[in-house]
Amino acid sequence: MQMSLHVNKHKPWIETSYHGIITENNDTVILDPPLVALDKDAPVPFAGEICAFKIHGQEMPFEAIVLNKTSGEGRLRARSPIDCELQKEYTFIIQAYDCGSGPGGTNWKKSHKAVVHIQVKDVNEFSPAFKESMYKASVTEGKIYDSILQVEATDEDCSPQYSQICNYEIVTTDVPFAIDRNGNIRNTEKLSYDKQHQYEIMVTAFDCGQKRATEDVLVRVNVKPVCKPGWQDWNKRIEYRPGSGSIPLFPSIHLETCDGPVSSIHTTIELQTNYIGKGCDRETYSEKSLQKLCGASSGAIDLLPSPSTTTNWTAGLLMDSNDMIFKFDGKQGAKIPDGIVPKNLTDQFTITLWMKHGPSPGLRAEKETILCNSDKTEMNRHHYALYVHNCRLVFLLRKDFDQADTFRPAEFHWKLDQICDKEWHYYVVNVEFPVVTLYMDGATYEPYLVTNDWPIHPSHIAMQLTVGACWQGGEVTKPRFAQYFHGSLASLTIRPGKIESQKVISCLQACKEGLDINSLESLGQGIKYHFNPSQSALVMEGDDIENINQALQKVSYINSRQFPTAGVRRLKVSSKVQCFGEDVCISIPDIDAYVMVFQANEPKITITGMDHFARPAAQFESERGVILFPDIRIVSTVTKMEHSVDLREHDRVNKQVVVEEMLHNLDFCDVLVIGAELDPEQECLELDHGELQGKHLDATNSTAGYSIYGVDSMFSYEQVLRQLRYRNWGTSATSDRKFRVKCSELNGRYTSNEFNLEVNILHSSNSNFMDHVNHMIFQPKFLQSVQHPEGSVSAVPSSVVPSVATMVIIICVSVLVLVVTLGVLRLRSARQHGSLGHEGPKDNEMDWDDSALTITVNPMEKYEKPHQTEEESEEEDIDDEEEDTTSAESDDSEEEEEEEEEEEEEEGSNP
């Protein structure tokens, strides 16, 4: 008993501390030093053996086992998987226990407490992941950035080796970007907004164990243009379709100042149309028509008319027929025939012209004659002239001695830059001697120099009026042109006896296109604006940028012509900016844009009416003559292409041609005589002057025809043409006349068809027979309308009856009177039932149809009239109206129509 108490007398011994490492997801702990317990009681059984290791700590996931009781070796292991991401290290207490005194383990002893510190070794089980799903950044073009933005990835591994991101890479190739190991992205070259607005690059990350991110990340880099002061959001091309009215040029425009300290802005908008026509889109009517339209005084003489049989002096000149522009190259001149312009212009007269002129060629500038009236032969005196010399406009007026005998003003000089600027300008020289006033583009200019001269001595020498050069009739071996003009002229007129008013001058040179402002009342406060007279330039000024933006958005283009000149109109917007107390202020680039004016649909002008009639000679010989075109019609149509969508055929677009009637003005209608000209001794065309009153129309008459001109509606031209009369008081020499009507819009730009009319003059041999028939028929009030087969047109003159049939007709009339008298009672009842369905269509243009000549006189007509149907009565009224309005039926044909209709009524009443 005593012996057992002395057996287990020593406690086990272990190290005081241990350091261990365990790899996650593994159960083996490697300790340093190894886990070994010693007991001094060894080799005594039980007392010198180690039976257990115990761990002290709350819920430690470890356990210690004894591998060898005798040697005291032990092992530390995990009871469950260790996750480094949950806990990286553990610290706990461990003690060793011996086996006690005997097999039952009594009197066991434990060692001192040792500290165990275990670190969990990480496994690279997680991949890097980016914190953001996408990264965005913006850069300004033209700069190199050290860092545009930084991307960042993380790793859920617990150790620094596997949890740290050691590298980033750009996956997208051929992009001007680089990335460092910290995720900073920079550009490797300067970026250009014009080249590329935006870049999209893919980036990946690696941890220090070289494990790559599972998903790459998108990085979007927007390139912003360098902030450049200027106008933004405007279109270079603006489309304009005829009839659109006023359309805004820059509806969304606004000014970018790049935060500059702007105090005010001054903007000029220019519509450049100097290459369109004569400086802009103007009406291309003839000068005479324009002057009538503008209310100018009558009597203007066109010195540069379109070449024709009556105005042939311009035939040899270079001409742009579309705009009636004559080009002079320094080698051409035109002689105005005698009698076109009166010799005495009086002390009041007006010269008007369009001129485009540049600097004079050659070192020594010669006089360039526009208009000159000089001696035709023997001498070289200039009576009056208008010419250009050294970019000065000079008007010469030499009075005759019988008009003045004192030193008088003779030369008037104007010095204007526009004379040699190679642009079109409108000049009006108003002479109210001794005062001469020049109007250029509607503005008044007084001469800067006036020189005096003596009057010209009277002589018997005739004068020659010329255009484009001056006629040198004396001082040379052979008379010739001299002082040629270099440039372009148009609408050169002279008006003796009268001068023009400012209002008329402004109208004659007015542009039909220009700039406009929509809703002037809505302009912002503080906006000042100013148009030039032609509205081709607009100046706007203000101190608030937003107000300027809104004002410029309201600037519009307008073209009031129904058929504008198609093509490009250039636009230029220039701006000047003032800044608050800044020596250097921002600069605003100019805007260069253009308006594209589309071609208008071309109208088709059609003239219709009665094209053939005959009248007795007595009507032509009467004081009023015969109206030529009682029913003339002028209609204009336009063909359009319309697009329609047919859903049943897979949205196929179908083009449909649509013809629409349109209304527009005309500027002349010519009635020409076909064949020999009128003989003024026995025939003429006449029109009451009162028919032109209240209209913008005038007319000229000649043996070749009648010309009505002026800008007015087609309806007004119809009214006037319907009153044109033809008289012939020598009809014995004439059996027929042919006339042709042709109308124009825009001075021949659009012309009508050629409408031909043939007129037959019926002489007494035909009319005597018709007078005889007149005694045998009843009054016109009983006439029925003539029945024609549907669609038939008779080409035979209405009152021409074959002479062979004369006796046959008389016999037939006598027999038929008897037959009709006996049979009328039987026919009377049947006629009431049959007459309703036999009234056929009528041809109002033809006087009669002699294809089946049968004449029947019904003496009972006056008793049957109460039984006429309403339709028959209406047709009688129509016939009577035709007699009054068209004068298309002669007395003879009326009688035969009545007899023919009576027979048809009775035949139609037979069952």
Side-chain angles (χ1 to χ4, degrees):
M1 188 74 177
Q2 291 177 346
M3 199 170 163
S4 64
L5 293 174
H6 294 283
V7 172
N8 193 9
K9 26 184 208 182
H10 297 95
K11 295 186 296 182
W13 177 88
I14 57 174
E15 298 287 343
T16 57
S17 64
Y18 294 89
H19 290 278
I21 295 175
I22 184 173
T23 301
E24 64 176 336
N25 302 323
N26 201 339
D27 61 351
T28 302
V29 180
I30 301 173
L31 286 177
D32 183 27
L35 181 61
V36 176
L38 301 176
D39 195 319
K40 291 182 178 182
D41 293 325
V44 177
F46 300 107
E49 295 176 341
I50 303 301
C51 277
F53 293 97
K54 290 187 177 180
I55 295 173
H56 302 284
Q58 294 182 351
E59 298 181 358
M60 284 295 143
F62 297 98
E63 63 180 1
I65 61 173
V66 178
L67 296 178
N68 191 321
K69 293 181 179 181
T70 303
S71 63
E73 293 180 50
R75 178 185 294 174
L76 189 64
R77 66 183 183 186
R79 291 182 299 170
S80 60
I82 302 299
D83 190 349
C84 179
E85 285 71 41
L86 294 178
Q87 191 166 340
K88 295 181 180 180
E89 58 185 27
Y90 296 87
T91 302
F92 52 85
I93 303 297
I94 191 170
Q95 286 181 304
Y97 289 79
D98 60 19
C99 293
S101 302
T106 57
N107 295 323
W108 49 266
K109 292 186 182 293
K110 58 183 178 180
S111 68
H112 60 274
K113 294 179 179 180
V115 176
V116 180
H117 182 77
I118 298 177
Q119 286 184 326
V120 182
K121 185 179 179 182
D122 190 20
V123 175
N124 195 4
E125 58 183 331
F126 292 100
S127 299
F130 288 95
K131 288 186 174 182
E132 304 290 341
S133 60
M134 184 181 69
Y135 291 86
K136 294 181 181 179
S138 296
V139 296
T140 302
E141 64 175 344
K143 294 176 64 177
I144 294 292
Y145 289 81
D146 292 333
S147 177
I148 296 174
L149 79 161
Q150 183 182 30
V151 297
E152 186 177 0
T154 60
D155 195 313
E156 294 184 2
D157 288 314
C158 65
S159 65
Q161 180 182 5
Y162 299 136
S163 65
Q164 290 184 359
I165 307 299
C166 284
N167 193 24
Y168 292 92
E169 285 186 8
I170 294 176
V171 179
T172 308
T173 58
D174 299 326
V175 289
F177 299 95
I179 190 169
D180 62 16
R181 61 185 304 166
N182 295 319
N184 294 304
I185 298 176
R186 59 184 176 85
N187 56 317
T188 58
E189 62 184 47
K190 293 180 179 179
L191 305 179
S192 170
Y193 176 81
D194 295 332
K195 181 179 179 182
Q196 192 164 339
H197 293 2
Q198 187 184 81
Y199 292 88
E200 291 186 348
I201 57 178
M202 301 301 295
V203 176
T204 191
F206 294 88
D207 61 20
C208 293
Q210 292 303 304
K211 192 162 190 174
R212 179 175 172 170
T214 305
E215 292 185 2
D216 301 334
V217 72
L218 173 65
V219 178
R220 184 170 291 151
V221 179
N222 293 313
V223 182
K224 297 190 302 183
V226 174
C227 186
K228 299 175 183 177
W231 295 104
Q232 305 291 329
D233 295 337
W234 54 273
N235 294 323
K236 187 176 184 66
R237 174 187 171 104
I238 302 102
E239 296 183 349
Y240 186 88
R241 300 187 182 277
S244 299
S246 180
I247 63 167
L249 296 172
F250 311 110
S252 303
I253 197 169
H254 65 276
L255 181 64
E256 175 62 66
T257 62
C258 297
D259 299 325
V262 175
S263 61
S264 66
I265 181 169
H266 180 279
T267 300
T268 302
I269 305 101
E270 295 178 83
L271 180 67
Q272 299 173 349
T273 59
N274 51 355
Y275 46 87
I276 300 293
K278 295 190 285 289
C280 70
D281 210 0
R282 294 182 168 91
E283 295 293 9
T284 54
Y285 295 116
S286 67
E287 188 64 19
K288 287 197 300 184
S289 295
L290 277 178
Q291 290 181 353
K292 185 73 176 177
L293 185 65
C294 290
S297 304
S298 59
I301 302 167
D302 193 355
L303 301 181
L304 286 176
S306 296
S308 67
T309 54
T310 56
T311 58
N312 58 2
W313 64 86
T314 58
L317 300 178
L318 298 174
M319 177 183 172
D320 182 351
S321 58
N322 289 335
D323 297 305
M324 290 294 295
I325 294 171
F326 292 86
K327 298 180 180 179
F328 295 86
D329 56 3
K331 300 177 183 178
Q332 294 174 312
K335 292 182 181 180
I336 310 298
D338 295 340
I340 299 296
V341 178
K343 294 181 179 180
N344 182 15
L345 296 178
T346 74
D347 286 342
Q348 285 189 348
F349 61 92
T350 300
I351 300 173
T352 66
L353 71 148
W354 284 95
M355 182 175 73
K356 181 180 180 180
H357 182 264
S360 303
L363 297 176
R364 182 183 176 186
E366 300 288 340
K367 292 180 179 179
E368 298 181 60
T369 301
I370 300 170
L371 179 67
C372 179
N373 191 33
S374 58
D375 290 331
K376 185 176 290 189
T377 57
E378 299 182 27
M379 302 182 71
N380 190 31
R381 298 175 303 174
H382 295 185
H383 298 262
Y384 61 86
L386 183 65
Y387 60 90
V388 175
H389 188 214
N390 288 327
C391 290
R392 282 134 171 105
L393 187 65
V394 182
F395 177 65
L396 168 70
L397 180 60
R398 299 284 303 279
K399 288 288 186 178
D400 292 340
F401 253 112
D402 58 353
Q403 295 174 314
D405 57 357
T406 59
F407 214 48
R408 304 295 295 273
E411 284 190 357
F412 303 83
H413 299 249
W414 292 272
K415 183 179 180 181
L416 302 172
D417 294 336
Q418 291 88 339
I419 294 172
C420 287
D421 68 355
K422 296 183 180 180
E423 303 290 349
W424 280 105
H425 299 285
Y426 187 62
Y427 299 85
V428 178
V429 179
N430 262 356
V431 179
E432 201 168 11
F433 195 80
V435 177
V436 178
T437 304
L438 173 68
Y439 293 88
M440 190 201 67
D441 295 339
T444 308
Y445 296 90
E446 300 295 333
Y448 80 95
L449 174 65
V450 178
T451 60
N452 297 335
D453 204 345
W454 291 102
I456 294 178
H457 291 282
S459 69
H460 64 281
I461 301 174
M463 292 180 287
Q464 177 64 61
L465 182 60
T466 57
V467 174
C470 198
W471 185 254
Q472 189 172 357
E475 303 176 2
V476 291
T477 56
K478 183 180 179 181
R480 58 180 175 83
F481 280 119
Q483 300 174 359
Y484 288 98
F485 180 74
H486 297 78
S488 298
L489 299 174
S491 303
L492 176 60
T493 69
I494 189 166
R495 179 179 286 101
K498 294 180 181 179
I499 61 174
E500 285 300 357
S501 66
Q502 177 83 41
K503 181 180 179 181
V504 171
I505 293 171
S506 298
C507 174
L508 290 172
Q509 59 92 38
C511 285
K512 293 299 181 180
E513 65 178 340
L515 299 174
D516 191 18
I517 296 180
N518 288 334
S519 183
L520 280 172
E521 63 275 4
S522 65
L523 284 181
Q525 293 183 350
I527 298 295
K528 300 177 182 178
Y529 68 93
H530 172 71
F531 283 102
N532 68 339
S534 63
Q535 288 197 206
S536 62
L538 169 63
V539 178
M540 307 182 81
E541 188 173 358
D543 53 11
D544 183 84
I545 294 177
E546 187 57 36
N547 285 342
I548 283 286
N549 289 341
Q550 294 179 5
L552 196 54
Q553 290 168 8
K554 292 180 171 63
V555 176
S556 303
Y557 169 80
I558 187 171
N559 193 318
S560 60
R561 292 191 65 191
Q562 192 171 11
F563 305 105
T565 302
V568 169
R569 274 70 161 168
R570 295 190 181 93
L571 279 168
K572 184 176 182 180
V573 180
S574 54
S575 305
K576 294 180 180 179
V577 173
Q578 291 184 348
C579 297
F580 292 103
E582 296 286 336
D583 294 335
V584 179
C585 196
I586 60 176
S587 177
I588 307 296
D590 292 345
I591 288 179
D592 289 312
Y594 64 93
V595 178
M596 173 56 73
V597 178
F598 288 102
Q599 182 76 45
N601 290 319
E602 184 170 334
K604 180 182 179 181
I605 306 171
T606 305
I607 303 175
T608 57
M610 182 171 58
D611 59 1
H612 189 188
F613 69 83
R615 294 288 184 275
Q619 293 188 23
F620 293 97
E621 294 172 353
S622 66
E623 183 180 354
R624 297 293 294 175
V626 174
I627 292 178
L628 291 178
F629 311 105
D631 62 346
I632 194 168
R633 284 276 289 132
I634 306 174
V635 177
S636 182
T637 56
V638 64
T639 302
K640 296 181 179 180
M641 300 294 291
E642 287 193 353
H643 300 270
S644 61
V645 178
D646 189 351
L647 298 177
R648 294 172 298 178
E649 298 189 15
H650 307 290
D651 295 342
R652 181 169 60 88
V653 177
N654 299 319
K655 293 183 179 179
Q656 296 182 346
V657 178
V658 179
V659 179
E660 296 180 355
E661 184 174 345
M662 69 180 305
L663 298 177
H664 59 76
N665 291 327
L666 299 176
D667 59 351
F668 70 80
C669 283
D670 288 338
V671 180
L672 303 176
V673 178
I674 307 302
E677 293 190 359
L678 299 177
D679 183 357
E681 299 295 328
Q682 64 180 25
E683 57 182 337
C684 69
L685 292 172
E686 290 183 342
L687 180 69
D688 291 339
H689 187 71
E691 300 295 337
L692 302 176
Q693 292 182 356
K695 303 178 178 68
H696 295 117
L697 298 179
D698 210 338
T700 57
N701 195 0
S702 70
T703 57
Y706 212 97
S707 180
I708 304 164
Y709 62 90
V711 182
D712 215 323
S713 66
M714 292 181 285
F715 178 71
S716 294
Y717 271 91
E718 284 179 358
Q719 287 182 310
V720 174
L721 286 171
R722 288 174 182 176
Q723 301 303 319
L724 184 64
R725 305 185 307 278
Y726 170 60
R727 287 183 60 205
N728 190 323
W729 52 93
T731 56
S732 59
T734 308
S735 61
D736 60 60
R737 268 295 186 188
K738 295 180 180 179
F739 301 92
R740 177 176 295 159
V741 183
K742 189 173 184 179
C743 296
S744 155
E745 165 65 337
L746 296 176
N747 203 23
R749 178 176 172 185
Y750 305 117
T751 56
S752 71
N753 61 312
E754 293 182 346
F755 175 74
N756 296 313
L757 170 67
E758 182 178 351
V759 177
N760 294 113
I761 301 175
L762 303 177
H763 297 290
S764 57
S765 60
N766 293 333
S767 59
N768 288 340
F769 161 73
M770 303 311 294
D771 290 340
H772 175 73
V773 177
N774 284 341
H775 293 294
M776 303 176 63
I777 62 175
F778 291 94
Q779 296 301 315
K781 65 179 180 179
F782 298 113
L783 286 178
Q784 302 279 336
S785 61
V786 179
Q787 292 184 337
H788 293 291
E790 185 174 357
S792 67
V793 178
S794 173
V796 180
S798 60
S799 299
V800 178
V801 179
S803 58
V804 179
T806 303
M807 294 305 297
V808 175
I809 294 174
I810 296 174
I811 295 172
C812 291
V813 168
S814 303
V815 174
L816 289 174
V817 167
L818 179 60
V819 173
V820 170
T821 303
L822 297 175
V824 67
L825 293 177
R826 179 182 177 186
L827 297 174
R828 184 176 180 180
S829 59
R831 179 179 177 275
Q832 294 178 353
H833 296 89
S835 61
L836 292 175
H838 288 74
E839 198 64 35
K842 300 174 292 298
D843 189 343
N844 291 332
E845 292 186 2
M846 302 310 302
D847 295 74
W848 75 325
D849 186 352
D850 65 346
S851 60
L853 183 59
T854 306
I855 300 177
T856 303
V857 178
N858 184 1
M860 301 301 293
E861 179 69 17
K862 58 184 178 181
Y863 299 110
E864 295 176 351
K865 183 170 182 180
H867 300 283
Q868 286 179 315
T869 64
E870 182 179 350
E871 178 182 351
E872 291 171 329
S873 300
E874 290 177 355
E875 291 180 344
E876 282 186 357
D877 294 338
I878 293 173
D879 270 346
D880 292 340
E881 183 179 347
E882 287 179 355
E883 291 176 321
D884 296 334
T885 57
T886 66
S887 301
E889 293 86 27
S890 66
D891 294 337
D892 301 340
S893 65
E894 289 171 353
E895 293 168 352
E896 292 173 356
E897 281 179 342
E898 181 182 28
E899 294 172 317
E900 189 175 337
E901 290 167 321
E902 290 170 351
E903 177 189 301
E904 289 171 344
E905 284 181 354
E906 294 176 355
E907 290 176 350
S909 63
N910 291 325

